[in-house]
Amino acid sequence: MLTFDNVSFAYGQQAVLKNISLQIMEGEFLTIIGPNGSGKSTLSKLMNGLIQPYLGQILVDRLDTQSPQNLKEIRQIVGLIFQNPEDQFISTTVFDEVIFGLENIAVEPDKMQSIAEDALKKVGMLSYKDVEPHKLSGGQKQRVAIAAILAMKPKYIVFDESTAMLDPNGQKSIMTLMQHLHDEGFTIIHITHLMEEALKATRVLVLNGGVIVAEGAPVDVFHNSRVIENNELDVPLPLKLKGRLSEAGIVVPKQLVTLEGIVDYIWTSN
Amino acid sequence: MDIKLENVSYKYPSLSNDSWESIRELNCMFETGKWLSVIGQTGSGKSTLMKLLKGLIAPTAGRLLINGQENKLSKKGNAQIIQEVGLVFQYPEHQLFETTVLKDLAFGPKNQGVKKEEINDRTKVIIELVGLSEAYFDKAPFELSGGEKRRVAIATVLMMNPEVLILDEPTAGLDPQGSKLILQLVHDWQKAGGGQRTVIFVTHQMNEVAEYSDEVLVMNDGEIVFQENPIALFREHDHELKAFGLDIPDSVKLLKLFEHRFGKRIEVHSLQEEVVLEEVVAYFTKQGDDLL
Ligand SMILES: Nc1ncnc2c1ncn2[C@@H]1O[C@H](COP(=O)(O)OP(=O)(O)OP(=O)(O)O)[C@@H](O)[C@H]1O
Ligand SMILES: Nc1ncnc2c1ncn2[C@@H]1O[C@H](COP(=O)(O)OP(=O)(O)OP(=O)(O)O)[C@@H](O)[C@H]1O
Ligand SMILES: [Mg+2]
Ligand SMILES: [Mg+2]
């Protein structure tokens, strides 16, 4: 379990997170949404001890992120894929980029090669293994950044807008990958600005101005128009369609959240 | 300003001989006053094409014509930057290098010789346009969140009053309302130009393409595979688009599902979400009876 107990964080004088209390259970698929600058990336960096709160406590499976001796273990438990993949790159080839992470954890050297290859294969980047990371296109960089973290098999994986620069296929394949990882038992924490993606979560958390302003199952959060309007969000098209239909007197069951589901429902209920 | 590509190819100098060109024999026209959206798989050559259009790199084969005139290499043999073209890079970090937001905003127009008072006036208007405020002037760009950097990067390019505005995935990383705001502001900026301002917009969000484009250019593996109006492209070529790793906008998905289920094709004049929702809901309700 990942626990935030009354956590506050500031960059210099600017308070960015205020009294955050939050528990993330093992096996959850948590999606964090909220306006630009609301503190999502800051929250994610606190999760693996990259930065430290000035108030409160963060526990990763009972390990306090503020104890320096815990950090090595914490980084292995919580894998953070940065918002800007360029911030993550340090090696001269794609392959070394993935190997680098493995060298810092207890992996038998003769297994490294195959682990790294597997991770690159998962994101469709194996054929680029000898390329310099900075010569890749935007979406290719994003995929390599994901592979580098996946290789380390952290129990909690934080995706900070990992789909933002991917083409539609890439977006879908990373979402599918997240769902597979979730099925395999990994805990997924996904930060995104794409509302359709948020529908896939088991729980959605809305951050604004450094405060958690809403939380719940995706359908509940998106059905709350106040939450949507006050937090620079938007409603995915299927839910907009349902809203319009209900204004016109056609009520579609709450659990139907896809266009297919809604159109089929109207088709069969007539 | 019309930009035309004739048989343009581009190969990154660092790539070994056997690896092929990132852009291959492109022929296309970017007409004055249009909104052209560019879509294509990761690595298909979109950003490379944008750098060519700005003159940051020169074609390794073929010609780039600006209003019919070839954009030749400089005397030293380098690519010639095209001043009238403003390019917002895919990574805003590549655009912000001063110590404060204000200095970054002033940098471009200063180089163009714009007067100080004029620069001051513009900074105040433009920082608000991108949804930020003067409170950001003294911040260091590296201290901003991802979306805030993006907004500042767009502002620095608008500061230079370009005739052609190229936006390379400008909405990646913006919150939903922020994306709408940026696209609406680009739209308003274009409309205020009396038909002289061109927008070239790279995105992976098909829904955004549906909201604004006059034309859509589809790239695949370094080549242009379609240049068409969005309605024809998305309604008629969904299979090809999927084969290219792309998709159709949600509004078109809804139209197709409706057509498939109810056997009725709804004609629309636009693929904007609002337009399509209204049409479809009208069928489900008023005209629903004789449909079923
Ligand atoms: N290194 C830094 N130094 C100072 N202030 C910072 C720094 N990084 C972020 N900030 C500020 O902290 C606030 C929260 O930033 P954060 O990156 O956590 O936001 P975010 O929710 O991830 O936003 P986005 O959706 O744009 O990525 C913002 O107002 C930002 O300007
Ligand atoms: N600086 C570079 N040196 C060598 N090759 C490069 C360089 N930049 C890009 N490439 C290669 O050129 C091809 C086209 O890249 P480009 O960045 O134009 O793609 P893109 O369509 O913009 O992709 P994305 O949607 O991921 O941003 C890719 O295969 C990429 O690996
Ligand atoms: Mg962020
Ligand atoms: Mg690109």
Side-chain angles (χ1 to χ4, degrees):
Chain A
M1 188 165 69
L2 234 150
T3 320
F4 280 64
D5 186 16
N6 247 310
V7 169
S8 294
F9 177 87
Y11 291 106
Q13 294 298 312
Q14 191 197 359
V16 167
L17 292 174
K18 299 157 198 161
N19 296 317
I20 299 273
S21 287
L22 167 70
Q23 292 188 334
I24 303 171
M25 301 298 170
E26 263 167 56
E28 258 201 272
F29 190 141
L30 177 73
T31 295
I32 306 175
I33 57 179
N36 289 132
S38 57
K40 303 179 297 299
S41 296
T42 305
L43 189 73
S44 74
K45 289 178 193 154
L46 284 165
M47 290 179 189
N48 73 350
L50 218 55
I51 52 176
Q52 297 295 346
Y54 71 82
L55 275 181
Q57 191 181 41
I58 299 152
L59 298 177
V60 173
D61 290 350
R62 306 232 174 103
L63 299 169
D64 191 332
T65 63
Q66 288 173 86
S67 305
Q69 72 270 23
N70 287 341
L71 283 184
K72 196 159 184 232
E73 203 176 344
I74 288 176
R75 301 269 159 84
Q76 209 166 322
I77 303 176
V78 182
L80 169 58
I81 300 157
F82 285 129
Q83 180 163 2
N84 182 350
E86 292 184 336
D87 292 346
Q88 198 171 315
F89 295 149
I90 35 169
S91 307
T92 50
T93 70
V94 163
F95 191 71
D96 287 348
E97 198 54 58
V98 182
I99 290 287
F100 176 80
L102 294 175
E103 281 170 348
N104 288 313
I105 62 175
V107 173
E108 290 165 45
D110 55 323
K111 294 225 175 95
M112 279 191 191
Q113 179 103 4
S114 70
I115 294 176
E117 283 179 359
D118 271 358
L120 284 169
K121 207 186 272 168
K122 272 204 169 112
V123 298
M125 285 300 290
L126 188 55
S127 56
Y128 289 82
K129 75 189 193 35
D130 299 321
V131 177
E132 286 173 52
H134 74 264
K135 288 186 179 162
L136 298 171
S137 81
Q140 291 164 342
K141 284 179 188 158
Q142 197 77 262
R143 287 161 182 261
V144 173
I146 294 172
I149 298 297
L150 282 188
M152 297 195 273
K153 299 205 164 57
K155 191 159 136 194
Y156 303 87
I157 313 178
V158 190
F159 294 83
D160 192 355
E161 299 191 33
S162 301
T163 57
M165 282 195 186
L166 299 182
D167 54 50
N169 249 6
Q171 287 170 28
K172 274 183 233 155
S173 71
I174 296 302
M175 284 310 296
T176 309
L177 177 67
M178 281 186 216
Q179 279 173 313
H180 282 317
L181 291 166
H182 181 235
D183 293 343
E184 286 171 30
F186 289 91
T187 306
I188 308 295
I189 298 151
H190 178 209
I191 300 173
T192 185
H193 288 299
L194 300 174
M195 300 295 110
E196 320 77 78
E197 292 185 354
L199 285 175
K200 314 264 190 223
T202 50
R203 179 162 66 124
V204 173
L205 198 124
V206 184
L207 210 61
N208 197 352
V211 177
I212 298 173
V213 292
E215 187 180 354
V219 266
D220 294 324
V221 171
F222 287 109
H223 272 113
N224 188 336
S225 48
R226 286 264 298 282
V227 169
I228 303 303
E229 280 160 24
N230 293 340
N231 299 293
E232 309 293 326
L233 302 172
D234 198 3
V235 178
L237 186 65
L239 299 189
K240 268 188 198 146
L241 175 62
K242 273 166 83 173
R244 296 299 172 85
L245 287 169
S246 102
E247 282 164 22
I250 304 173
V251 178
V252 179
K254 194 173 171 187
Q255 73 273 16
L256 294 179
V257 293
T258 63
L259 291 174
E260 285 88 345
I262 298 165
V263 173
D264 280 354
Y265 173 80
I266 296 178
W267 165 248
T268 48
S269 65
N270 269 292
Chain B
M1 195 167 98
D2 286 337
I3 307 181
K4 194 173 177 203
L5 301 186
E6 277 180 3
N7 282 315
V8 167
S9 297
Y10 183 77
K11 190 169 149 224
Y12 284 99
S14 58
L15 295 179
S16 57
N17 281 332
D18 53 338
S19 63
W20 56 53
E21 295 150 321
S22 292
I23 293 275
R24 283 203 299 280
E25 300 194 6
L26 297 195
N27 285 294
C28 65
M29 175 80 175
F30 296 84
E31 263 175 68
T32 309
K34 285 212 166 152
W35 179 304
L36 225 128
S37 296
V38 182
I39 58 178
Q41 257 175 339
T42 281
S44 59
K46 302 180 297 297
S47 296
T48 306
L49 173 60
M50 298 309 127
K51 287 184 241 168
L52 279 164
L53 294 174
K54 168 74 187 160
L56 289 177
I57 51 178
T60 40
R63 309 197 302 162
L64 177 72
L65 303 170
I66 307 292
N67 290 330
Q69 293 285 321
E70 185 174 355
N71 188 51
K72 294 221 170 72
L73 294 179
S74 72
K75 286 190 194 101
K76 288 183 185 161
N78 296 325
Q80 289 255 51
I81 288 180
I82 302 162
Q83 296 299 342
E84 296 79 8
V85 175
L87 169 60
V88 181
F89 286 108
Q90 181 163 2
Y91 285 101
E93 288 81 0
H94 297 177
Q95 201 138 3
L96 307 173
F97 42 80
E98 292 282 355
T99 50
T100 68
V101 167
L102 188 62
K103 283 185 190 160
D104 260 324
L105 291 174
F107 182 84
K110 219 174 184 173
N111 275 353
Q112 291 175 328
V114 178
K115 288 214 185 68
K116 215 171 172 183
E117 304 82 70
E118 165 69 16
I119 295 180
N120 276 342
D121 291 346
R122 277 194 211 171
T123 51
K124 287 178 191 152
V125 175
I126 285 175
I127 199 77
E128 301 275 341
L129 257 185
V130 296
L132 299 175
S133 66
E134 289 181 34
Y136 280 82
F137 279 170
D138 296 328
K139 293 205 182 199
F142 72 86
E143 290 178 343
L144 303 176
S145 81
E148 290 164 344
K149 277 184 202 147
R150 176 74 68 191
R151 291 167 195 243
V152 174
I154 294 170
T156 61
V157 172
L158 288 177
M159 284 293 294
M160 292 188 277
N161 263 336
E163 284 177 40
V164 177
L165 178 59
I166 302 180
L167 302 140
D168 196 350
E169 300 191 32
T171 57
L174 291 189
D175 57 55
Q177 295 309 324
S179 299
K180 284 191 180 167
L181 178 129
I182 293 294
L183 292 179
Q184 187 61 44
L185 100 81
V186 170
H187 177 79
D188 294 345
W189 171 86
Q190 181 170 46
K191 283 285 161 279
Q196 294 304 304
R197 290 177 175 167
T198 310
V199 174
I200 302 171
F201 170 53
V202 180
T203 185
H204 285 305
Q205 303 306 323
M206 302 300 125
N207 291 345
E208 296 177 349
V209 178
E211 290 299 310
Y212 288 105
S213 326
D214 296 312
E215 260 182 67
V216 187
L217 198 135
V218 184
M219 295 199 62
N220 187 54
D221 206 1
E223 292 175 351
I224 293 177
V225 287
F226 284 109
Q227 182 165 6
E228 247 190 278
N229 85 66
I231 299 184
L233 176 71
F234 289 125
R235 291 200 84 165
E236 315 307 334
H237 297 289
D238 54 326
H239 292 295
E240 289 102 315
L241 290 174
K242 284 196 179 125
F244 295 139
L246 301 171
D247 205 351
I248 54 177
D250 286 334
S251 60
V252 179
K253 277 183 200 154
L254 178 56
L255 289 171
K256 285 195 176 285
L257 279 165
F258 183 89
E259 188 174 342
H260 174 70
R261 266 308 189 194
F262 294 86
K264 164 100 182 101
R265 184 180 160 101
I266 301 177
E267 294 303 335
V268 289
H269 65 275
S270 149
L271 297 178
Q272 289 178 338
E273 214 174 67
E274 279 306 316
V275 173
V276 171
L277 268 177
E278 197 165 309
E279 293 281 345
V280 171
V281 172
Y283 268 100
F284 276 144
T285 54
K286 286 188 231 67
Q287 301 165 39
D289 299 337
D290 49 77
L291 236 185
L292 302 167

